[in-house]
């Protein structure tokens, strides 16, 4: 399956989430039946996606080397947008294959990388995607392939 660490930028809009959902569901991370790599996406495999809201992906360091999260979306708006992101994933795939943690809670998440593969899906990376500022502004900041057998 996929562990998706979801970071919401303070400028993100619904079009950014749509872009990221589309890319997440289409990314080809698995080999096909003939062993050719990078041929199958999550829907072809029937695997699960675990989404974890992760505002710290937009963390920067201040001049005093302290974490600063001013680029992250504020909690109330982020919770609404994150819920919408999950609904979009469920609409694009199978509801019972989309899992998530508790928004805003401290969670221990274990990951076993099978590869490893770590990708950034950013709605501003594709010039044909939503227009916006120069700042990275993705809804999905990190998608990692996990070993489905370990769950």
């Amino acid at each position: 399956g996929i562990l998706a660490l979801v970071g919401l930028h303070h400028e993100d809009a619904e079009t950014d989430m749509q872009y990221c959902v589309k890319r997440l569901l289409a990314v080809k991370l698995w080999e096909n039946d003939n062993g050719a790599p990078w041929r199958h996406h999550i829907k072809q495999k029937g695997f699960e996606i675990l989404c974890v809201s992760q505002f710290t992906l937009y963390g920067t360091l201040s001049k005093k080397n302290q974490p600063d999260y001013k680029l992250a979306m504020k909690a109330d708006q982020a919770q609404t947008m994150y819920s919408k992101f999950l609904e979009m994933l469920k609409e694009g795939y199978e509801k019972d294959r989309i899992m998530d943690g508790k928004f805003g809670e401290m969670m221990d998440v274990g990951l076993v990388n099978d590869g490893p593969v770590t990708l950034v899906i950013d709605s501003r990376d594709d010039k044909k995607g939503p227009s916006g500022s120069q700042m990275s502004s993705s809804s999905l900041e990190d998608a990692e392939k996990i070993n489905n057998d370990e769950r």
Side-chain angles (χ1 to χ4, degrees):
I2 292 176
L3 170 61
L5 302 177
V6 182
L8 293 162
H9 187 275
H10 69 92
E11 294 179 346
D12 278 343
E14 191 169 322
T15 54
D16 297 295
M17 292 189 304
Q18 290 168 344
Y19 174 89
C20 292
V21 164
K22 181 179 176 182
R23 296 295 301 250
L24 178 60
L25 293 177
V27 63
K28 295 179 180 181
L29 298 173
W30 294 275
E31 62 185 31
N32 65 15
D33 295 336
N34 297 326
W38 318 116
R39 298 292 190 263
H40 282 176
H41 53 70
I42 192 98
K43 292 162 84 172
Q44 290 170 302
K45 291 296 195 180
F47 292 161
E48 295 174 341
I49 300 174
L50 172 60
C51 295
V52 178
S53 175
Q54 192 73 24
F55 77 93
T56 61
L57 291 171
Y58 279 105
T60 58
L61 289 177
S62 70
K63 290 180 182 178
K64 295 180 181 180
N65 289 320
Q66 297 171 322
D68 183 337
Y69 301 108
K70 65 184 172 199
L71 296 178
M73 188 176 286
K74 301 296 181 223
D76 289 343
Q77 183 184 7
Q79 187 168 14
T80 300
M81 293 286 277
Y82 179 70
S83 294
K84 179 68 177 166
F85 178 78
L86 293 173
E87 285 305 312
M88 289 176 175
L89 277 174
K90 290 175 182 178
E91 288 170 11
Y93 190 26
E94 298 176 31
K95 286 184 179 191
D96 65 336
R97 296 285 180 203
I98 307 301
M99 311 294 170
D100 72 301
K102 299 285 184 189
F103 184 89
E105 297 290 325
M106 181 68 158
M107 293 180 288
D108 292 324
V109 178
L111 167 68
V112 176
N113 263 347
D114 180 14
V117 174
T118 302
L119 302 172
V120 174
I121 299 176
D122 189 326
S123 59
R124 300 303 197 269
D125 286 345
D126 186 347
K127 298 205 188 281
K128 296 176 187 168
S131 62
S133 67
Q134 296 289 344
M135 182 62 61
S136 173
S137 182
S138 70
S139 295
L140 177 69
E141 189 64 20
D142 197 353
E144 299 182 1
K145 182 179 171 199
I146 59 174
N147 184 341
N148 201 38
D149 296 333
E150 294 294 321
R151 288 193 275 177

